[in-house]
Amino acid sequence: MSELSKAYRHNLRGLAAASIILALIGASTSNSFYLTTIIFALIEAISAIGLTLLFGFAGLASLGQAAFVGLGAYTAALLVERCAFPPIAGMALAILVPTAVGWIIGRPLLRLSGLYLTMASLALGVVLSLVFSQAISLTGGLDPGFMLNHAFSLGHWTLDSTKDMYWVCSVCVVLTLYLAINLIHSRFGRGLRALQSSEAAAEGSGIATVRFKTAIFAIAAGMAGLSGALYAFFMRSFNATAFDFSLSIELLIIVMVGSLRSVWGALFGAAVVTILPAALENFSDYKLFIYGVVMVLIMMFLPDGLFHGAVQGVSRLLAGKDAK
Amino acid sequence: MAAQIFVSGLLIGCVYALVAWGFTIVYNATGLINFAAGEFVMMGSVISAALSIKLGWPALIAAPVSICAVTAIAALMDWGCLQRAKRQTPLALGMLTIGIGIVLRGAMLFSFGKDFQFPPAFSDGEIPAILGVNIPTQGAWVFGTVFIAAILLWQLFARSWLGWSMRAAGESRRAAVLMGISPRNVSTTAFAMAGAMGALAGALIAPLASANYTSGLFFGLKGFSAAILGGIGSPLGAVAGGLILGVLENIAAGYMSSGWKDAIALGILILVLLIKPTGIFGGRSVKRV
C-alpha cells in the first residue's frame, strides 16, 4: 500500500473515531450550557476546515471569511423567513451562494500574489460586514437584528431543541470533514500543496494555478456559508456584529492554533478558541490577556499547531517505549 | 462646507498616514505584515490619556512618556517574541503579530480599564477660522507634529546610516549581513520606530476621538488600507494613501452617509487592487522564482 493511500485510510479511521466521539458527547451531555459551547465550537470548526484548506494547504491567508459566514447566515435566514423555503433548501443555497460569490470575486483577485489576496479579502470582509449592518431592510442591521421564526426542519420533522441542533451540527461537521479529506487526497489537493511550495514549479508541471486557487477559495467560502446557516438556525435571533472582522481573525487563530497541515486541527483549534474564554470567565479583566498569551505561546513554540504537537508528543512517547 | 470636509479629512488622514508609515517601515525591513500596528496607536492613546487624566500630568509630558513606553513595548515584542518564534516565515510571524495584538489589548484592559477616556487637548485657546474653515486646536497640533515627524523620518531614511541599513536588510538579508549589518537589530529598530509613530498618532488623536482598549483594530485596519492604497513598501505612498483615505472617508461621510463611509473607502481599495495591485505609488512587482 502506498504512503498516500495509507494516509487516506488513517484519515478515514480518524473520521470514524471522531463520529463516535461526537455521538458519545451527544448521548452523554444534557447540560445545555455545555451543549451550546460545543455547538459554537462545531459551527466555527466548519468554517475553520475550509480555511485550513485555503490557508494551510494552498497558502492563501484570507482575512475575510466572516463575510462568507454572514452571507450564508443571511441567505438561509432570508430564504426561509421571507420566501418560505424549506430550511434544508435554505441551507443548500446558503452553501451555494457564498461559493458562487467566492468564485466570482476570487477569479480576478487570485491572479494577484498571496499578500494582495490577504489585503483584498480583508477589504471585502469589512465591506460586506458593513453591508450587513447597514442594509437594515434586509438584515435588520445591528438593531433590532434578524429574527428567524422558523426552526430547522427536515420535511415534517422539526429540530428546534439545543440537543437536536447538536446532532445537526455534528452531522454537518462529519460531512465537511469527509469532503475535506477526499479533497486533500485527490489530484486537486496534491496540486494545492504543490502550488503552496512553489507556484512557478506547480505551473510548470501542468497545474492551472489560478483555477485551483479560485476553486479552493470558493470551496472555503461554501464551508463558511454552511457554518453561517447553522449559526442562523441555532441562534434564530442574531445581528450583524456576529460577522465582523473579529470573526475572521478568530477563524485564522483557530487554524494557526489547531494545525496548518491537517484538517483535524480545525476541531482542536475551534475547541480551544471557544472553550478557553468560557473557562477563563472567572478572571474577568485578565481574561483577554491570558487568552492572548496562551495563543502567542502556542504559535511561538508549536508552529504546526496543537494537533501536530499532540501527534508528535504521542509518537515520541511510543518511540520511547519501543527503545526500552 | 467642501473645504471644511477636506481639511477634516486631511486631519484624520495624517493619523492614518503615521500608522501606514509604521507598517511600511516594518514591511521594508523584515518583509512581514505587522497586524499589531493598530494596537500601538491604541496603547499610545490609552497610556497618554490615563497619565493626563488619572495622574494629572500635562499633555506635553504625558504624550512623550507614552510614546517612549510604546516604543519599548514594540521593541520588546520583536526581540522577545517574534525573533524567538520557532518558525521564521513571514506568514507565521504575521499571524503571531495578531496574537500579540490580543495580548497587548488584554494588557491595556486590565491596566487602564474598560472605560472610554476623554483626555484634554494639548493646549487651550481657539484658532480663528481661515476661509471659513474651523480647525480645532488639537487639529493644529496634529498637522504640525505630523509635518515635523515626516520631515525628520524622511531625513533619517534618506541620509542616515540607519536608513541605509534598514533598506539594505529589506532588500537582501544575506547581502546586508555581509556588509556588517545585523538584520535582527534592524528588525527591532524597525518595530521600535513603528511603535513610536503609532503611539504618536494615538496620543495626538486621543483628545479628538477618545481612548479605549478596543480602538486598535480600527486604526490597524485604516493604516493597513492606507499602506496598500499607496503601494505597500513605499513611504511616500503610505503618507499619500493615508491622506487620500482620510479625505475620501470624510467626503463619503459628508455627502452620503456616515454609516457607509468605511464601505466606500474600502470599496475604492478593492478597485485599486484590481486595477493596479501594487498601489498608487508602488513600483512594479517582481516575480521571483
Side-chain angles (χ1 to χ4, degrees):
Chain A
M1 200 165 29
S2 75
E3 274 304 305
L4 281 173
S5 60
K6 221 187 226 170
Y8 181 59
R9 293 272 169 93
H10 276 310
N11 272 329
L12 285 188
R13 257 181 238 138
L15 188 62
S19 318
I20 293 169
I21 292 171
L22 282 175
L24 286 178
I25 291 175
S28 61
T29 314
S30 51
N31 180 324
S32 84
F33 173 72
Y34 291 144
L35 267 183
T36 308
T37 311
I38 297 170
I39 289 175
F40 279 130
L42 291 176
I43 290 176
E44 292 214 65
I46 294 177
S47 314
I49 292 167
L51 192 58
T52 309
L53 293 177
L54 184 65
F55 182 35
F57 284 81
L60 303 166
S62 162
L63 277 170
Q65 288 310 99
F68 296 116
V69 179
L71 206 56
Y74 285 115
T75 308
L78 280 170
L79 285 176
V80 170
E81 195 65 25
R82 303 264 170 95
C83 310
F85 270 52
I88 190 78
M91 193 180 268
L93 276 162
I95 301 170
L96 287 180
V97 170
T99 309
V101 172
W103 177 274
I104 293 165
I105 293 171
R107 191 75 200 174
L109 287 183
L110 287 160
R111 287 179 195 286
L112 314 174
S113 68
L115 181 64
Y116 294 106
L117 172 79
T118 307
M119 302 166 185
S121 65
L122 169 75
L124 178 77
V126 176
V127 170
L128 273 184
S129 85
L130 277 166
V131 171
F132 297 147
S133 62
Q134 296 296 319
I136 293 172
S137 59
L138 275 180
T139 64
L142 299 173
D143 185 41
F146 199 97
M147 283 293 289
L148 181 60
N149 296 318
H150 296 75
F152 187 73
S153 61
L154 284 168
H156 293 289
W157 192 17
T158 311
L159 302 160
D160 59 350
S161 72
T162 311
K163 196 61 166 269
D164 291 340
M165 277 315 287
Y166 172 81
W167 293 115
V168 174
C169 292
S170 301
V171 170
C172 288
V173 165
V174 171
L175 288 178
T176 313
L177 275 171
Y178 182 70
L179 176 69
I181 290 168
N182 277 302
L183 272 177
I184 294 166
H185 292 282
S186 66
R187 190 185 125 79
F188 178 70
R190 290 190 289 274
L192 286 183
R193 265 182 279 189
L195 77 84
Q196 183 193 14
S197 43
S198 161
E199 207 159 308
E203 209 154 327
S205 10
I207 292 167
T209 48
V210 174
R211 228 184 52 207
F212 271 47
K213 285 196 286 185
T214 316
I216 194 62
F217 190 66
I219 291 170
M223 289 180 178
L226 172 63
S227 83
L230 288 172
Y231 180 82
F233 283 118
F234 177 57
M235 293 298 286
R236 304 275 285 282
S237 159
F238 53 92
N239 71 13
T241 46
F243 315 112
D244 65 5
F245 185 51
S246 43
L247 175 64
S248 297
I249 289 189
E250 190 165 300
L251 288 172
L252 262 187
I253 289 179
I254 289 178
V255 175
M256 289 295 297
V257 166
S259 167
L260 275 175
R261 293 197 298 182
S262 155
V263 286
W264 297 103
L267 287 182
F268 276 70
V272 171
V273 165
T274 37
I275 294 167
L276 189 62
L280 290 175
E281 212 46 69
N282 293 334
F283 292 92
S284 60
D285 278 359
Y286 293 90
K287 180 179 151 187
L288 188 66
F289 181 71
I290 298 172
Y291 173 78
V293 169
V294 172
M295 296 300 147
V296 166
L297 288 178
I298 293 176
M299 286 191 224
M300 273 176 79
F301 298 111
L302 292 172
D304 280 325
L306 279 178
F307 179 69
H308 275 265
V311 169
Q312 272 174 358
V314 168
S315 60
R316 223 175 269 166
L317 272 179
L318 292 178
K321 268 182 194 163
D322 286 349
K324 279 175 199 167
Chain B
M1 177 71 179
Q4 179 71 51
I5 286 177
F6 185 75
V7 171
S8 328
L10 282 184
L11 186 65
I12 190 74
C14 281
V15 173
Y16 297 164
L18 275 183
V19 189
W21 203 343
F23 254 127
T24 307
I25 292 174
V26 169
Y27 181 77
N28 280 349
T30 63
L32 72 90
I33 304 263
N34 171 25
F35 287 104
E39 311 304 331
F40 297 158
V41 184
M42 178 275 290
M43 288 194 290
S45 65
V46 168
I47 296 176
S48 70
L51 288 178
S52 68
I53 293 172
K54 290 189 182 143
L55 299 182
W57 291 15
L60 289 180
I61 299 175
V65 169
S66 78
I67 292 171
C68 292
V70 177
T71 308
I73 294 171
L76 196 69
M77 153 183 168
D78 181 58
W79 177 81
C81 208
L82 291 173
Q83 294 193 4
R84 275 151 223 269
K86 257 190 168 175
R87 180 164 302 161
Q88 295 285 330
T89 60
L91 206 55
L93 291 177
M95 296 301 129
L96 192 51
T97 60
I98 293 183
I100 296 171
I102 298 177
V103 173
L104 296 177
R105 222 176 299 152
M108 291 298 119
L109 170 62
F110 74 71
S111 333
F112 300 104
K114 278 192 172 86
D115 303 333
F116 281 83
Q117 304 182 71
F118 297 90
F122 283 17
S123 59
D124 297 330
E126 249 173 64
I127 299 174
I130 306 160
L131 296 171
V133 177
N134 279 308
I135 303 175
T137 333
Q138 186 66 19
W141 277 100
V142 175
F143 281 128
T145 319
V146 171
F147 186 68
I148 294 169
I151 291 175
L152 285 179
L153 278 168
W154 190 256
Q155 290 298 318
L156 191 71
F157 269 88
R159 301 268 167 87
S160 77
W161 192 82
L162 181 68
W164 294 336
S165 53
M166 275 186 162
R167 277 184 287 163
E171 195 111 335
S172 159
R173 210 180 151 90
R174 178 181 280 190
V177 172
L178 291 174
M179 294 296 127
I181 297 165
S182 154
R184 284 167 163 260
N185 290 349
V186 165
S187 132
T188 306
T189 316
F191 267 92
M193 286 176 71
M197 290 162 74
L200 174 66
L204 283 172
I205 202 68
L208 291 172
S210 83
N212 181 259
Y213 79 103
T214 54
S215 63
L217 212 55
F218 168 83
F219 283 113
L221 198 61
K222 291 301 159 68
F224 191 42
S225 311
I228 304 159
L229 196 60
I232 195 149
S234 141
L236 181 67
V239 173
L243 294 178
I244 293 172
L245 189 68
V247 170
L248 277 180
E249 257 183 28
N250 256 37
I251 291 175
Y255 289 104
M256 285 173 261
S257 112
S258 57
W260 286 100
K261 70 170 191 181
D262 289 339
I264 290 159
L266 287 161
I268 290 170
L269 177 67
I270 296 180
L271 275 184
V272 169
L273 277 175
L274 286 177
I275 298 164
K276 191 169 184 295
T278 48
I280 301 171
F281 290 87
R284 221 159 42 88
S285 77
V286 183
K287 206 173 188 179
R288 277 184 219 136
V289 176

